[in-house]
Amino acid sequence: MTTSGSIIRVQNLHKWFGELHVLKGIDLEVKAGEKVCIMGPSGSGKSTLLRCLNFLEEPSKGIVFLDDLPVGYIEDADGKRRRDTESNINRMRARMGVVFQSFNLWTHMTASANIVEAPIHVNGLSRQAANEKALSLLRLVGLEDKKDAYPAQLSGGQQQRIAIARALAMDPEIMLFDEPTSALDPELVGEVLAVMSELARGGMTMIVVTHDMGFASAVADRIVFMDHGQVVEEGPPSTFFQQPKNERTIQFLAKMTSRPF
Amino acid sequence: MTLEWQYVAHALPFLLEGTLITVEVSLLAVALGLLVGILVVLGRQSRFKILRALIIAYISIVRGTPLFIQILIVYYALPALGLDIPRFESGVIALSLNSGAYISEMIRGGLMAIPKGQLDAARAFGMRSGLIWRRITLPQVLVLILPPLTMEFTGLLKSSALLSVIGLVELTRRAQQVIGETLRSPEVWLATAALYFIMCFALGTVTRRLEKAAAAYRL
């Protein structure tokens, strides 16, 4: 049944929070292996879009497909859409790794316990296999020596690298990043971006909501610019940064580049 | 009148028997109270309006009536409804229902202190709500409420003296019996008070250690 070749397909997605119309008909396709950066002013709906992808937020209208299967819904033979069961939704979610702006590590667990938690309890991995996997992921993010540290004992950059390892431990088909460096002190941003770039080189499919223009131009295959709940421009970084067409993109980029540092 | 401590020495083995019952009844009551507290919190999140209303009524009744009367009701009023429950079990039920209401309020407070993002993360990795509750929420809430829970446990231990009124031979009732035999009331009451104090002191020491160990992750 799969024909589109895209791993993520978003169709006419709308989200209202009460009266507030946050997403106003988003269409988006992401192919396997593609790296897409979503940029835009705060309040433009970037994070809400990301949260709709794995049904952390339920879309008000429209739908998200993962590998051509609707996320959060099942379609009857007559095309009627019903909400899917919790376990099916969870199975879909487990295929997408998420990294949050505020890390969201479980503070009562050590770094390695954070990493093995979902693989063991959701994927049914044995503790031994999970521990071995955790160790190799800790090596990947350069924090092998911190495996027994609690999140409170780690810097923000270290916590975010653990959070990336935690997401990777689920063997996700796609990684979603929600402003992964926005909560970090400037000197800690680099270590997190380095891990993400490494991941990109390894061929991971990535959707990254970010304000980091350097990262976006270096890593992204495509930049999606959002404003007021709509995609107003998209294209490869070279075109996007050098020859933006949309008036709002031009204004945004002008503001970003005139920042003091 | 001078205090004559040889009576206490003589009575001590009997008092210790009562102490054991006090410890048993209190331990059981706090364990069940914790369970009741958890169930009450879960029940308050239920979709069923009637269940939520019943739970709120239960909490208001427990808070709005004396524990003393609650004990009497469990022991004397329930048999009228055809439920004949022995003294020990009645005591455990009355105390755990009472502390369950208070513990549920502590848990509710603790829940609000868990960052929402941690639950988002758990959901994002496909964890079921029951699993999230068991692995992420509850362990953190229990550590958060350890200090008020200790106070509740200490209070429960002391309140268990009220169970003497339904004839449960715990420490206080035992003391009354010893006094009946020896007719030496001051020494025995002082010794009884000392035994309660030692229990509470030991409890405080244990939970302080527990708090330290459990809170290693909170810097």
Side-chain angles (χ1 to χ4, degrees), chain B residues 12 22 26 38 53 55 63 96 100 115 118-120 122 143 150 158 169 177 181 202-203 205 207-208 210 212 219:
Chain B
L12 202 57
T22 291
S26 308
I38 291 169
I55 284 171
R63 288 169 135 187
S96 55
Q118 289 195 31
L119 307 182
D120 274 350
V143 171
T150 307
K158 292 184 287 182
V169 190
Q177 288 176 345
E181 286 162 18
L203 184 63
T205 313
T207 46
R208 257 193 306 280
L210 212 60
K212 242 189 199 158
L219 296 180

Side-chain angles (χ1 to χ4, degrees), chain B residues 40-61:
Chain B
V40 161
V41 170
L42 290 175
R44 283 186 83 154
Q45 299 170 351
S46 152
R47 280 173 294 149
F48 302 108
K49 217 174 179 176
I50 301 168
L51 182 62
R52 293 203 307 266
L54 282 174
I55 284 171
I56 289 168
Y58 151 72
I59 292 175
S60 324
I61 290 169

Side-chain angles (χ1 to χ4, degrees), chain B residues 12 15-16 19 157 171 188-201:
Chain B
L12 202 57
L15 291 180
L16 286 176
T19 304
L157 197 101
L171 178 53
V188 174
W189 284 130
L190 284 170
T192 303
L195 285 171
Y196 276 111
F197 180 80
I198 290 167
M199 282 189 276
C200 292
F201 187 80

